[in-house]
Amino acid sequence: GQNIDQPTEMTATEGAIVQINCTYQTSGFNGLFWYQQHAGEAPTFLSYNVLDGLEEKGRFSSFLSRSKGYSYLLLKELQMKDSASYLCAVRDEGKLIFGQGTTLQVKP
Amino acid sequence: GAGVSQSPSNKVTEKGKDVELRCDPISGHTALYWYRQSLGQGLEFLIYFQGNSAPDKSGLPSDRFSAERTGGSVSTLTIQRTQQEDSAVYLCASSLGTSGGDTQYFGPGTRLTVL
């Protein structure tokens, strides 16, 4: 079967660091994506990992361990505009299999 | 350049009616995907098209759902005899190809409400 788990909600303080975890069990694996989705808007691409290790992109980093079926998204120097849902998705052949998403609230 | 566009942005229909949702992918993208997002739920894969290959329909929830892609560009998702549980945001995405790293870019979605 296909199963992707993320925490439902997280809260963090402006300027802090937050880590959003994602665990997966899927029949296929062609890479793992993180998307950001603000309320009422389309998901926008954040990061892609296919090999084990850390990918850094500005304030955002994403980590993958294929043997553990585990990824995390790290957000540094949090800003109020980072309040959004963060979606973990595994690529299985062409399609993306999404988790339920993690709603992050950044407080002043 | 232009992103993925979808129409209509909102659609309200009565139970039992048929609806058509349209997606215009990014120019040059060979792969096109349909997902839906119910309230408070994650994105659910429906169907994808890649070039001239047969579409992957494995996510369509019932035979009331169908999709076509004409001329390798525009796609239409049709829902026949709509039910209240079909109410959701229907999102279309496109990508250059279906290789692992080919990013899927999403359109703004069509919010479907079935009364």
Side-chain angles (χ1 to χ4, degrees):
Chain A
Q2 314 277 42
N3 193 43
I4 299 179
D5 285 321
Q6 313 177 227
T8 304
E9 296 180 341
M10 298 184 72
T11 302
T13 305
E14 190 176 15
I17 299 172
V18 70
Q19 178 174 312
I20 302 174
N21 296 324
C22 171
T23 58
Y24 64 90
Q25 289 179 305
T26 56
S27 55
F29 182 86
N30 287 344
L32 188 142
F33 290 80
W34 285 94
Y35 281 82
Q36 180 190 60
Q37 186 178 29
H38 285 99
E41 297 182 11
T44 55
F45 169 75
L46 289 178
S47 69
Y48 168 70
N49 295 70
V50 67
L51 300 176
D52 290 353
L54 188 68
E55 293 283 341
E56 297 187 77
K57 196 186 286 187
R59 294 189 300 115
F60 291 49
S61 302
S62 56
F63 171 84
L64 175 67
S65 169
R66 288 171 298 170
S67 62
K68 295 181 179 178
Y70 168 68
S71 173
Y72 68 72
L73 180 69
L74 194 70
L75 291 75
K76 304 175 188 175
E77 301 168 16
L78 280 172
Q79 302 175 8
M80 298 300 292
K81 67 178 182 179
D82 296 330
S83 292
S85 289
Y86 292 85
L87 314 180
C88 174
V90 169
R91 186 157 211 162
D92 181 359
E93 296 183 346
K95 60 185 177 283
L96 291 177
I97 310 299
F98 283 87
Q100 298 278 62
T102 298
T103 300
L104 173 66
Q105 184 179 18
V106 180
K107 295 185 173 179
Chain B
V4 178
S5 61
Q6 294 186 244
S7 61
S9 55
N10 280 284
K11 176 72 176 178
V12 179
T13 190
E14 294 180 348
K15 178 181 172 182
K17 301 279 190 182
D18 298 352
V19 296
E20 286 190 352
L21 313 179
R22 176 188 168 104
C23 172
D24 277 276
I26 294 171
S27 177
H29 280 192
T30 63
L32 185 149
Y33 314 78
W34 285 97
Y35 297 86
R36 73 176 175 182
Q37 189 171 32
S38 303
L39 191 63
Q41 301 295 313
L43 273 75
E44 175 189 7
F45 165 76
L46 297 176
I47 184 171
Y48 86 87
F49 300 86
Q50 167 55 31
N52 295 323
S53 302
D56 178 344
K57 304 179 182 179
S58 60
L60 295 179
S62 77
D63 58 8
R64 297 186 294 105
F65 288 72
S66 62
E68 62 177 22
R69 188 179 186 192
T70 54
S73 182
V74 171
S75 177
T76 303
L77 177 69
T78 301
I79 308 174
Q80 296 179 309
R81 305 181 302 281
T82 52
Q83 303 294 313
Q84 289 183 330
E85 61 262 29
D86 299 335
S87 296
V89 176
Y90 288 81
L91 291 160
C92 175
S94 71
S95 63
L96 278 172
T98 54
S99 296
D102 284 333
T103 299
Q104 295 184 21
Y105 296 93
F106 284 83
T110 294
R111 182 175 297 277
L112 174 66
T113 303
V114 182
L115 301 177

